[in-house]
Structures are given as C-alpha cells and as structure tokens.
Amino acid sequence: MGLLSDPNRRRALTNLVTRLNTPLCVMCYIVGITWFLGLAFEPFTLRTYMSENAMGSTMVEEKFVYGDRALSYSREFSGHRKKVGGLPVDWLVKTMKSRGLEVYKQTFSRTLPFPDESKERYMVKGTNVYGILRAPRAPRTESILLSATCSEGSNNNQAVGLLLALASYFRGQVYWAKDIIFLVNEHDLIGMEAWLESYHDVNMTGIQSSPMQGRAGAIQAAVSLELSSDVITSFDVVVEGLNGQLPNLDLVNLFYAFCQKIGMLCTIQGKLQRNDWDTLPGYSHSLNTMLLMVLKQSSGRPQGDHGLFLRYHVEAVTLRGINSFRQYKFDMSTVGKLVEGMFRKLNNLLERFHQSYFFYLLPSLTRFVSIGYYMPAFSFLILILMLRALDLWVQLSNTPHVQDDEEQDPGPSMLSLATPIFICHLTGLALYFLPILSQDMATQHFPVSETEAVVFTAIAIYVAGLALPHNTHRALSGSGTECGWRSLKLLSLLYLAVLLGCTALINFSLGFILAVTMVPMAAFVQPSGPRVLYAFGLVLVSPACTLLLSIYFYHYLLEYPITLLECWQQFLMAISQGILDHHLYGSLVYPLISLFIYPCWLQLWNIVFWK
Amino acid sequence: MPAIFHYISQNTRGERLPPAEMAASLVLVLLIAVTVRAVLFRSSLAEIIAERVEVVSPLNGWKRVVEGLALLDLGVSPYSGDVFHETPLVIYLFHFVIDYSEIVFMIADAITAVALYLAVQDYNKIVFRKQKYTLEAGRYPLDVVELLRTPKEMMYIPIKVAVFYLLNPFTVLSCVAKSTCGLNNAITALFILCTIKGSALLSAIFLALATYQSLYPFTLFAPALLYQLQRQFIPISIHSPRFWIFTSQYGSMYLGSLVVITCLSFFLLSSWDFVTSVYGFILSVPDLTPNIGLFWYFFAEMFEHFRPFFICVFQINVVFYTIPLSVKLKEHPIFLMFMQIAVISIFKSYPTVGDISLYMAFLPLWHHLYRFLRNIFLVSIVLIACSVLFPVLWHLWIYAGSANSNFYYAITLAFNVGQILLVSDYFYAYLRREHHLIHGLYLKKKDGTEETLILK
C-alpha cells in the first residue's frame, strides 16, 4: 500500500501511466495476443493426466463381442424406421423389453418461435424411448447414461444398433453399481431438452412433455453416440456444450485412455495428434485445433447431443464415429469394447467428477491449457481498457476549473450522458424483442418467409441503431462538450471491461474473441482526428462483423474455404440459429450480444460522432 | 482578510431554496422509489432476488420470518426449528401486518430516507453555524477559503442523501427481497435523527432497539454519547463531574430500555429461547451459507477445535476500532458514527447488501472531502465490478458446477478490501481536511518548498 499512500510515488506512477499510455496499451495488446498464440506451443502446455482415483487404479477387461448383433439390430431398426417414417417406438419398446430393461416412453411437443429452415421444422412432435438397467449391486441412487439420437436427415442407425447390443450385453453382467439408462431421443437436441427437463422435473423453455414414468438415480455421466457406418476409421470426441460449458477433463482423458488401450485412432476437432511440435507445421496444426475449439466454444451452441447435459451437472461427451478413406477400419465389436470400457470405469466412480479441470482449451488430446494459463492473455487485453480509463480519469480530474465556466451545474452533463446510454440500451432491447414479435407483420408486407423476416428485422434494427443515437445529445445540449465525450468514453470503457470480464468467466472463448476485436478500437476512438477511419474501424469490429469474419475464418481453418456469398448465407443462418438456440435451449449468447455488447458498442459509436 | 470577508458576505446573502421546494423534491424521490419497488414486487424478479445470498442472510431472510410465523400460529416456539433467527418483536410485528408486508418494507425504507434527510439537514445547519463562528473569530488560516463549505453546496446534500439511500440498487434489492435488514436500517436512521435532534431519551431507546435487533449497533453508543456531550457543551474529560453525570444518565437510559425490551420479548413468548437463537446465532456463526462477508469460508475450512478462538478474533474486529476511532474523532462524532456503521457492515457475521446501503447513504454528506480522496476511482471500480461478478461466480459455482467456492470467496475478499479502502480513504481525507483547516492549505516546509503530507 506504500505505493498508493505516498503522494510522490503516486504522482510518478500517474505520470508514467498518462505519458506512456499509448505505448503501454499497444504493448499490452501485443503481449496478450502473443501469450494466447503461445498457448498452442507444446512446451507451454500441460500434459493431460487422470486425476480421479477411481478411474486410474483399476483396469478393466472388455469382453464385448456382440458386434454382429449390433449391426443386425441397426438394419432391423432402419427397416422399421423407414416403414414408420420416424422413430419406430413400438419396435424399440418391444426390443428393449425383450432385452430385460425397464422401458418407458416420453412424448413431447414444441412449437418453435419461427420455422427452422436448416432443419426444416416448425411444430415438433416426438417421442423419446428409454430403458433402465437396474443396478444389481448397489442402491439405485446413481446412474450413467448412454444415448443415441434418431432424427430426420441424419442416419445414426448404427449408434442405435450398438446401443441395443450393449444393453443386452450389459444385462448379463453382474458388476453394475449404478443404473444405466439407454436413451433413444427423437429430434436431437429438442428431444434431449424435453427428456432432461422432465427427468429433473423442471420446465425452463416452455416445452410440453408427458410426465416421466420411471427414473433412475442422479446421472453421473453421459455419453452420446453418433455412428453412421458399419465400420469406422476413427473416433472424434466433441466437448463443447451449451454456453461454452465443457465437461470435466477427466471424462475426456478417460476416452483418450481407452482409445490408447484399444489402439483406436482418436481426434479432436477432426484433427489427429502430431508429434512434431517443434516444427512450424506441427505448431500451426495444434494452433489450428485450439482455434477451432475457441470458435466452436464461443458460438455457445451445443456441438453435440451431450451439450445440454452439462447444465444439469452431468459430465457428458459426444463420440462421433468417422469413416474416412483410411485403410485400417474398426468394426462394431471394437467400438463396443471402447464404450464398454468407459462405462465400466464410470461405474467405479465414487463421487461426482470434480478432481480435474472444468476450464480448459485443448490444442490436442494429450495437451491442455488450464484457466490459470489462458486468463493472463485475456487480462492483458482488459488491462488496456483499465489503462485508458485511468488516463481519461486523470484528464477529467485535472481540468475541473475550465469546466466550471462552461457548465453551470452538473445537471445538463448528467442528462447528456444518460440519454445516449439510455437510447443505446433501448435499441438493444428492440434488437432482442422485435425480431420475434414483428415476424407476422413483416411477412404480410414483404415477400419473405418467417425465418427471413426474423433475420432481416434483426439486421435492420442493428443497422438502424447506427443512425439513430448519435444525433440526440446535440438536440439536448446544443453541442457536445469535451468533458462530455470523455466521461461517456470512461463509462463505456469500464462497462466494456466488466462485461467482457463476466463473459470470459462464463465462456472464455466468446469473451476473448470480443476482447481481441473490440478492445483496440474501444481504446482509441475519439471525436477528433481521422473520424472516418475510426468509424470504419468500429464497424469492422462490431459484433455482427465479428460473427461474419469468424464464420469465414472457421471454414478456412476447417480447410474448406467458402466464397463470400456462401459466407453471407451462413451468417444469416447463424443469426437465426442463435435466436432459436436462445428460445429452445436457453443459450445466452444472443441476449448477451443484443442487450449488452451491442449497446456498449453503440456508445463507442456515439463517441465518434459526438461533435 | 479580504478573502474571508468576501466569503462571509457571500454567506449572508446565500440563496436558499424555500423548504417547500425541497420537501417537494423529497416527495418526488419517495414516489419514484416506491414505484420502482412496487414494479419489482409485481415482477418475476422478486422471487429470484429473494433467493440471492448477497441480499438475504439467515438472519433476515423473509422465508424464515414466514416459517417463524407459521410455527407461532401452530403454538410452537418459533425458535424450535433452527430456521428462524429474528427477534420476537419483529415476529409480533409481522403477526399483525403479514398481509401488508410489502408496504411495511416500503414504509421502512421511506422512514429511513426521511429520517436521514432530516438528520442531515439539521447536522448541516450545525456544521455551518460552527464554521461561521470560527470564521468570525478569525481562527482559520487565510488560504483555506476554498476548503470552507458554502450554503449552495450544502443545500442539496439532504436530498442527495435521501436519493443515495432510496435509489441505491442495494437498497432496492434488499427491499424487494423483503429482507428485515430494511427495518434495522430504519431503526438506526431514527436513532441518528433523535441523536442529532438532541433528544437523549429517544436516542437511547432507538439505540437499544437497534442493539436488540442486530446486536452490533451497541458500538454506536460512543458516537451518540460524544455528540450529545458536544451539543450540551460538556467537556470530555474524566475530571469533569458533568461528563460523568451525563454519561451515566445516557448509559442508564440505554441499558434500561434494553432491559425493558428484552423483558417484553420474554413476556411475549414466555421463554428465553430467543437469546440463544438470535444473539447466540450472531455471535457463534453456526450457519455457513456463503454471503458477502468474511466469515463463512474461514469457518467452513477451519478445524473444529480452533473455532472458538477464531470466532473471538473475527468478532473482536467490530468493536476493536471503536476506542481508537473515538479518541481520534472525538470532535467529530457524526463522522465517527459513519465510520462505525461502515465497520459494522463490513465485519459483522452475516452482512448483506442492505447493510452496505446504509453507510453508503452518508457518502454525499462527505462530498467536501472529495478533493482529498485518493483511491476513489479504483475503489468504485472494484465495488462495481465485484457486485456484478457475485452473481456470475455464484452461477458458475452452484449452477454450472464448473467453478468452486474459492472463486466466489475471492470476489468476496476483493469486495471487502474495496469497502475497507473506501472507508479508510474517507477517514484519511477527513483527517487531512481538518489538518489543513488548522495549518493552512498550502503547507510550506521550513526551507520554503512545498510540503507533502504522508500517511504512514
């Protein structure tokens, strides 16, 4: 505290901060970005390790041999599925019952706020079928879940076949200490949401579903299977869940450990592990993998069926079977052995997963970056905002005497500050509520579909926001004062810092991407100097442009570049999906952007046009 | 002394708003505050707010009051279930007005604001009169004119205090959650009002009530006593008999009303259960639900046999500063009162945001210290950022399950450090202003260079 209480040293520090402000900010930005890029470099990361005792000490022997049975189930299933034109509920119930499970059905229905064009659904009705294998060796207070989805458009028959074969195999074993739930859900995430909500007896998203007839214990872990071919070459593990939440790293380690044991190829983000970390291609490969994870996580969308479990404290991953052109293939028995092994280990869990990390980034499956390593990169970016705010504060508090002559009392200054902030937030509210509310009106007056109406209304409000607010304060107080814009900028910077900080805690990737784009422009905008340049820069870093660029960059990273027109279409789809995710599953990204980030950005926009 | 004469002449024709207009603006603020609260009471947010650990504590949660009432109606002692920890008087109050509870809480807030308004108005008059006498006696150095307070600047302070209390988000949250903290604040505010108005008996009664409600306000005895001694021009010295007479008078009034209230509670419930359930609960901290205070994490982590020792250490914090502060600030009892209220709300065992809002309401009163505050920018950022981070980290810990209690406690610590910095900053600024009022604003060293004051 000596530094803060000694006036001389304080003055020296303040002088340092104000005089070297710009170089310090630039340095912080460079350090932040470099730190982040360095995270993908292998010597700077930690090797993954199993920290859960129950998972490490005991080895299990996998004996699953029902690969052929799995295939025959899957053929039968696909036949019945074609006949019924949806999930063959009766056949599934009968088959599960004959395998000795307690079988229940759950029907649900949901009308979407507007039609989902990418999946062609509007009024969704469906049935989830699940069977419970009761644990013979322990009180039935805990359970593990295996799920496979059955929805229009995707195949996934082999996953259901394997699920049934595993069910009949597990039935014959005696060592189960936890109930095992086998769930086949219809309409992928909507069905999963319906099932989870009624299993936990909550209703958060307004889905209608029949009450749950049978329950097992508290779900400890869940694995969601996606298999669409009889043989596979590798397994891809998907971790990103709703709002960027991640499962406990031990679950991912468990999957990796069994892949190693069985000799199965495993990937993350569709990327194989490389051993040449000390070469440039090796580094760029792991950077590529990490950036893909950051982009996926920042979308806040569940990347697989497992994504909704995480909200209920259930650790879950999706395993996606990949069948590529590689020569060496794995059959269903091997895949079944992998799942069996994982379930045997999960069966040994003594308490919930809590040992390992919940906040991490994965540059590869064997390496991880924990929160303590990646947060400094973000902190350096936030430090820029703090430095600028400090600078502005010093400037504002050093010139009070000049201000006294211009302003008679603090009243008008308050008003001229509060009005733009109020209007910016009002625009944000409009952006949040109007697209859904006005879709009927839009479809009546323009030749567009409901989905297009929603998306275009959102874009129209977004663009209109640019024109609207910056004219207001002039009408109020004549001309904007020097002090006025500085105070507004100070407030905006602090607001942005708090917002980004909170965002990064919940969803690091989203916070980081927004910080990388918005912070430099936020730090340097002012109503003098090259204003056209500032305005252009601000538009470039606005949340919508960031989304557009992220989509383009994402496809570039996938090594599947797209043209600008395709990118635009993807952009429109991303907006509609974002709104739908919010209404269907409670994703927070759309409200965050429309209610907070966008208004904050508008305040910065206001500063450029202050005079 | 042309500057000072100019200053005096300026004072005599100091413009003043007619009292009617000030009263009208107070009514306007009250209306706005009531509207905001009524809207929130009707919205779905009220339930969410009532569940927040930052807003309600085991002592003052509304759910617990309802539970206590239900037990009382069944003819069981409300303290039998280890859920209810409010005092008997509060439960009997709500026994009669349970259907109008929302109105009661809004009225409590209004009473607090009006009491603070009147108290501050009175206090300002006294401060100003004192300054005028000192000026006329020529006891101020020449260069402190810019430190002197003007009626124009002081005119808006009472209404600002009311606004700071009523429209503070912390107060609004606390009221909407129906935390009984609002009632305690009202009692404390009435106590301050009575003290400043100079009514020793009423002041003692309200102080006894406040003590009865939440125990810690007994440390406010010192500032109240000092203020009344000062008001009656009784010298504070152990050789003066008048000092001892008044002290014993005030002390016996306080203790007497405390005994009466406690006995009344005993006759209401005909058992002494409430003593252990309320005061034992406050002192021994058995409920470790997280809150914005410093206790819960330590005692959750601690080995059981160290507990009594550390409870003493933690509880002593509240009373520890009373004597040194009273000695240092014996000429400025109202500032001492502010310091004490702040210290209580930081170091008490179950603090909520409602407690913080009471001492924050005093901040406009010390507006003239602004130029001496050093860390106000940093501190306000810390306080705002922490207030926002509380719900975020709570979400990550309890709902998402990805963070843990350490994350939440880190923010609690930062929040409390912020509060302590805020209070000590005001303390330092107050002392420094007083120093300048005696020694002049622009201090020179003996060799003529500018002198700087260093706090060590």
Side-chain angles (χ1 to χ4, degrees):
Chain A
M1 290 318 294
L3 202 61
L4 286 180
S5 57
D6 184 339
N8 293 327
R9 271 186 256 167
R10 255 177 93 83
R11 201 171 302 137
L13 192 71
T14 324
N15 273 342
L16 193 77
V17 168
T18 42
R19 200 166 316 140
L20 293 179
N21 202 275
T22 311
L24 274 177
C25 287
V26 172
M27 210 173 72
C28 278
Y29 192 72
I30 293 170
V31 171
I33 300 282
T34 323
W35 188 297
F36 179 75
L37 294 179
L39 292 177
F41 190 53
E42 206 171 298
F44 296 161
T45 56
L46 297 173
R47 173 168 281 279
T48 54
Y49 58 93
M50 193 72 89
S51 32
E52 179 66 61
N53 279 330
M55 302 259 136
S57 58
T58 50
M59 288 310 289
V60 292
E61 194 184 350
E62 305 86 27
K63 291 178 181 159
F64 181 75
V65 285
Y66 292 168
D68 297 334
R69 198 187 279 189
L71 286 181
S72 71
Y73 277 138
S74 81
R75 281 188 208 108
E76 215 174 322
F77 175 74
S78 84
H80 284 279
R81 187 177 171 181
K82 262 189 209 120
K83 211 176 350 172
V84 182
L87 185 71
V89 177
D90 296 332
W91 177 84
L92 215 53
V93 170
K94 202 183 78 199
T95 320
M96 279 191 179
K97 268 206 174 119
S98 69
R99 300 279 77 83
L101 304 179
E102 270 183 56
V103 189
Y104 302 99
K105 287 185 293 189
Q106 185 221 8
T107 55
F108 59 91
S109 68
R110 176 82 161 101
T111 308
L112 273 53
F114 57 90
D116 182 356
E117 285 190 344
S118 67
K119 285 183 178 153
E120 292 177 353
R121 56 190 183 189
Y122 180 50
M123 287 156 85
V124 180
K125 272 200 174 71
T127 313
N128 293 326
V129 180
Y130 62 102
I132 302 173
L133 172 60
R134 295 293 180 185
R137 290 183 54 142
R140 293 151 181 183
T141 51
E142 292 179 340
S143 58
I144 331 171
L145 184 139
L146 180 66
S147 82
T149 183
C150 162
S151 51
E152 285 168 50
S154 74
N155 183 335
N156 216 24
N157 294 332
Q158 280 78 1
V160 179
L162 183 63
L163 178 129
L164 291 172
L166 279 168
S168 64
Y169 172 73
F170 284 178
R171 179 77 177 84
Q173 310 301 325
V174 289
Y175 36 66
W176 298 114
K178 293 179 173 48
D179 291 352
I180 301 174
I181 306 173
F182 297 92
L183 167 67
V184 180
N185 58 318
E186 206 174 357
H187 298 297
D188 48 55
L189 286 168
I190 298 182
M192 194 56 100
E193 180 68 32
W195 191 85
L196 278 167
E197 284 193 4
S198 18
Y199 192 87
H200 296 97
D201 204 15
V202 288
N203 192 344
M204 295 187 291
T205 54
I207 210 163
Q208 285 101 36
S209 52
S210 62
M212 192 135 285
Q213 303 288 329
R215 284 193 178 81
I219 307 172
Q220 302 292 304
V223 175
S224 180
L225 276 180
E226 287 182 21
L227 293 172
S228 297
S229 53
D230 287 352
V231 286
I232 62 164
T233 50
S234 66
F235 248 133
D236 189 48
V237 58
V238 185
V239 288
E240 301 88 357
L242 185 70
N243 290 328
Q245 213 180 328
L246 301 171
N248 194 294
L249 192 56
D250 266 346
L251 192 62
V252 183
N253 291 341
L254 182 70
F255 163 75
Y256 179 69
F258 273 98
C259 283
Q260 292 295 97
K261 186 180 177 197
I262 293 173
M264 169 106 54
L265 274 181
C266 52
T267 59
I268 185 155
Q269 321 298 351
K271 306 265 182 195
L272 272 172
Q273 170 110 15
R274 282 174 68 140
N275 293 323
D276 51 343
W277 57 267
D278 47 355
T279 62
L280 189 62
Y283 167 73
S284 73
H285 182 83
S286 57
L287 182 64
N288 215 328
T289 317
M290 191 176 80
L291 284 177
L292 274 174
M293 176 163 181
V294 166
L295 285 172
K296 279 185 181 171
Q297 197 191 6
S298 66
S299 73
R301 307 196 61 191
Q303 300 291 325
D305 264 8
H306 74 284
L308 297 173
F309 282 96
L310 301 170
R311 180 163 48 180
Y312 298 89
H313 272 220
V314 178
E315 304 313 317
V317 287
T318 295
L319 304 184
R320 192 169 284 162
I322 308 283
N323 191 16
S324 68
F325 299 115
R326 215 174 265 268
Q327 286 298 318
Y328 195 78
K329 313 265 188 192
F330 297 95
D331 63 349
M332 276 298 144
S333 298
T334 324
V335 176
K337 270 183 187 159
L338 180 96
V339 180
E340 187 206 349
M342 284 181 72
F343 270 71
R344 289 284 304 276
K345 279 287 180 88
L346 291 173
N347 185 45
N348 289 345
L349 268 184
L350 294 176
E351 43 189 335
R352 267 180 200 286
F353 277 112
H354 65 282
Q355 297 267 6
S356 193
Y357 295 83
F358 285 96
F359 298 102
Y360 51 87
L361 294 175
L362 292 168
S364 72
L365 262 177
T366 50
R367 293 274 163 179
F368 77 102
V369 183
S370 79
I371 183 167
Y373 286 75
Y374 65 60
M375 263 306 175
F378 178 76
S379 315
F380 275 112
L381 296 182
I382 293 298
L383 192 62
I384 298 176
L385 295 179
M386 291 331 258
L387 282 174
R388 290 308 280 189
L390 204 63
D391 185 35
L392 281 171
W393 174 256
V394 171
Q395 283 176 16
L396 276 174
S397 52
N398 280 350
T399 52
H401 301 294
V402 189
Q403 294 306 318
D404 281 347
D405 306 332
E406 290 173 15
E407 303 167 308
Q408 273 71 35
D409 52 0
S413 149
M414 269 290 275
L415 197 68
S416 71
L417 273 186
T419 319
I421 295 177
F422 181 69
I423 290 178
C424 290
H425 283 81
L426 217 58
T427 321
L429 276 176
L431 182 60
Y432 178 68
F433 285 111
L434 280 187
I436 301 282
L437 290 180
S438 66
Q439 53 173 322
D440 288 338
M441 209 177 66
T443 43
Q444 278 168 12
H445 292 87
F446 300 99
V448 287
S449 71
E450 276 96 344
T451 319
E452 285 169 330
V454 170
V455 173
F456 286 126
T457 317
I459 295 178
I461 296 172
Y462 191 93
V463 176
L466 306 192
L468 181 69
H470 67 265
N471 284 327
T472 50
H473 76 276
R474 261 180 264 172
L476 272 173
S477 58
S479 64
T481 54
E482 185 78 356
C483 176
W485 76 263
R486 282 185 205 274
S487 323
L488 182 62
K489 189 176 170 187
L490 178 67
L491 283 180
S492 311
L493 289 184
L494 294 178
Y495 185 38
L496 186 64
V498 171
L499 263 182
L500 290 179
C502 290
T503 312
L505 276 173
I506 294 178
N507 183 346
F508 169 75
S509 304
L510 182 61
F512 187 75
I513 288 181
L514 287 174
V516 167
T517 51
M518 284 180 83
V519 163
M521 280 320 291
F524 291 104
V525 285
Q526 52 187 33
S528 54
R531 279 163 59 181
V532 181
L533 204 66
Y534 284 137
F536 179 72
L538 261 184
V539 170
L540 203 64
V541 302
S542 84
C545 279
T546 310
L547 175 63
L548 192 70
L549 293 175
S550 302
I551 291 171
Y552 191 80
F553 188 52
Y554 175 70
H555 283 92
Y556 169 77
L557 284 177
L558 280 180
E559 291 159 16
Y560 181 69
I562 49 175
T563 62
L564 276 179
L565 192 66
E566 283 171 324
C567 187
W568 174 251
Q569 275 161 356
Q570 294 262 346
F571 171 70
L572 296 183
M573 211 198 295
I575 294 176
S576 72
Q577 292 296 323
I579 301 177
L580 270 180
D581 278 353
H582 172 58
H583 289 279
L584 289 182
Y585 320 121
S587 153
L588 291 174
V589 176
Y590 184 67
L592 176 81
I593 298 286
S594 59
L595 294 179
F596 298 107
I597 304 281
Y598 172 65
C600 185
W601 182 85
L602 273 185
Q603 288 177 24
L604 296 170
W605 181 256
N606 238 303
I607 293 166
V608 178
F609 295 100
W610 186 258
K611 278 171 186 164
Chain B
M1 293 185 244
I4 288 185
F5 281 129
H6 171 70
Y7 181 79
I8 294 170
S9 63
Q10 190 189 12
N11 283 341
T12 45
R13 58 186 166 81
E15 64 228 275
R16 265 184 178 269
L17 275 186
E21 271 182 43
M22 292 305 280
S25 47
L26 179 65
V27 170
L28 184 70
V29 173
L30 280 173
L31 280 179
I32 294 173
V34 168
T35 317
V36 169
R37 284 160 172 76
V39 168
L40 280 174
F41 269 130
R42 293 279 161 270
S43 73
S44 57
L45 283 173
E47 275 179 39
I48 305 170
I49 295 171
E51 297 284 321
R52 303 295 319 173
V53 287
E54 297 89 356
V55 183
V56 294
S57 72
L59 271 181
N60 57 22
W62 178 246
K63 267 188 175 175
R64 292 170 185 261
V65 176
V66 173
E67 169 76 14
L69 273 175
L71 290 175
L72 192 70
D73 288 344
L74 289 174
V76 188
S77 161
Y79 300 102
S80 55
D82 197 36
V83 171
F84 179 68
H85 302 288
E86 258 300 347
T87 51
L89 284 187
V90 165
I91 198 168
Y92 270 94
L93 170 71
F94 282 112
H95 189 66
F96 297 113
V97 295
I98 180 75
D99 297 332
Y100 311 103
S101 58
E102 294 175 4
I103 298 173
V104 170
F105 282 105
M106 288 199 263
I107 290 176
D109 273 8
I111 288 177
T112 317
V114 173
L116 288 178
Y117 175 86
L118 294 175
V120 166
Q121 211 172 29
D122 234 43
Y123 175 67
N124 271 345
K125 272 184 207 152
I126 295 167
V127 169
F128 190 69
R129 207 181 303 141
K130 206 165 123 191
Q131 179 179 297
K132 205 169 147 194
Y133 290 147
T134 325
L135 253 182
E136 281 163 1
R139 268 185 275 145
Y140 283 135
L142 286 183
D143 56 352
V144 295
V145 173
E146 51 185 299
L147 285 186
L148 295 183
R149 308 187 60 188
T150 60
K152 192 181 154 195
E153 161 238 327
M154 287 166 85
M155 184 171 63
Y156 292 105
I157 287 179
I159 193 77
K160 273 189 196 162
V161 169
V163 170
F164 253 62
Y165 186 75
L166 283 176
L167 300 184
N168 187 340
F170 288 161
T171 325
V172 176
L173 287 177
S174 180
C175 179
V176 172
K178 298 201 244 182
S179 149
T180 51
C181 181
L183 301 182
N184 301 353
N185 284 354
I187 294 171
T188 316
L190 284 175
F191 152 70
I192 296 169
L193 176 64
C194 295
T195 314
I196 290 183
K197 289 276 180 194
S199 157
L201 177 66
L202 279 178
S203 154
I205 291 177
F206 278 114
L207 181 59
L209 259 178
T211 313
Y212 167 79
Q213 273 295 319
S214 56
L215 197 61
Y216 294 112
F218 76 90
T219 56
L220 298 181
F221 182 81
L225 179 69
L226 286 173
Y227 184 82
Q228 295 183 49
L229 289 171
Q230 199 184 56
R231 199 185 150 88
Q232 301 180 14
F233 305 107
I234 302 173
I236 304 162
S237 95
I238 43 172
H239 303 299
S240 145
R242 285 175 66 204
F243 169 75
W244 286 112
I245 293 171
F246 187 80
T247 307
S248 52
Q249 265 178 357
Y250 189 63
S252 54
M253 277 191 280
Y254 168 61
L255 289 177
S257 14
L258 200 57
V259 169
V260 169
I261 297 168
T262 319
C263 290
L264 184 65
S265 313
F266 171 71
F267 290 126
L268 280 177
L269 291 176
S270 51
S271 88
W272 290 108
D273 281 352
F274 72 95
V275 175
T276 45
S277 268
V278 179
Y279 308 117
F281 188 78
I282 292 175
L283 288 176
S284 67
V285 205
D287 191 318
L288 299 178
T289 315
N291 56 31
I292 56 171
L294 298 163
F295 280 66
W296 62 274
Y297 186 83
F298 270 100
F299 290 102
E301 297 288 317
M302 191 171 293
F303 289 123
E304 199 59 33
H305 57 276
F306 291 126
R307 211 181 141 94
F309 171 69
F310 275 102
I311 280 182
C312 293
V313 172
F314 271 65
Q315 296 284 12
I316 257 175
N317 255 319
V318 179
V319 284
F320 187 73
Y321 307 104
T322 311
I323 293 171
L325 280 179
S326 307
V327 172
K328 187 77 200 166
L329 292 172
K330 66 172 185 273
E331 301 292 322
H332 314 283
I334 297 299
F335 189 74
L336 174 62
M337 186 101 80
F338 159 74
M339 292 290 294
Q340 271 303 322
I341 294 176
V343 165
I344 290 175
S345 77
I346 295 169
F347 292 112
K348 73 192 284 191
S349 46
Y350 301 102
T352 56
V353 291
D355 298 305
I356 296 168
S357 67
L358 182 62
Y359 83 79
M360 282 198 169
F362 280 90
L363 296 184
L365 187 55
W366 318 120
H367 177 75
H368 57 288
L369 303 180
Y370 182 76
R371 57 181 291 165
F372 297 120
L373 292 177
R374 298 162 307 162
N375 302 326
I376 188 72
F377 178 63
L378 186 76
V379 169
S380 29
I381 290 176
V382 168
L383 290 183
I384 293 171
C386 287
S387 319
V388 179
L389 284 175
F390 272 129
V392 170
L393 288 167
W394 183 259
H395 170 86
L396 283 181
W397 174 20
I398 300 295
Y399 295 101
S402 36
N404 52 38
S405 56
N406 302 319
F407 287 62
Y408 190 75
Y409 189 64
I411 289 304
T412 312
L413 266 186
F415 188 68
N416 280 302
V417 167
Q419 285 192 72
I420 292 167
L421 271 181
L422 177 76
V423 172
S424 53
D425 215 15
Y426 269 97
F427 181 57
Y428 167 80
Y430 198 91
L431 292 184
R432 179 150 171 212
R433 180 171 177 271
E434 291 304 316
H435 184 87
H436 282 308
L437 283 182
I438 297 167
H439 300 283
L441 184 57
Y442 300 102
L443 304 171
K444 300 273 187 227
K445 276 186 197 162
K446 285 195 181 113
D447 56 354
T449 52
E450 199 179 327
E451 196 177 21
T452 50
L453 288 175
I454 296 177
L455 180 78
K456 282 193 175 157

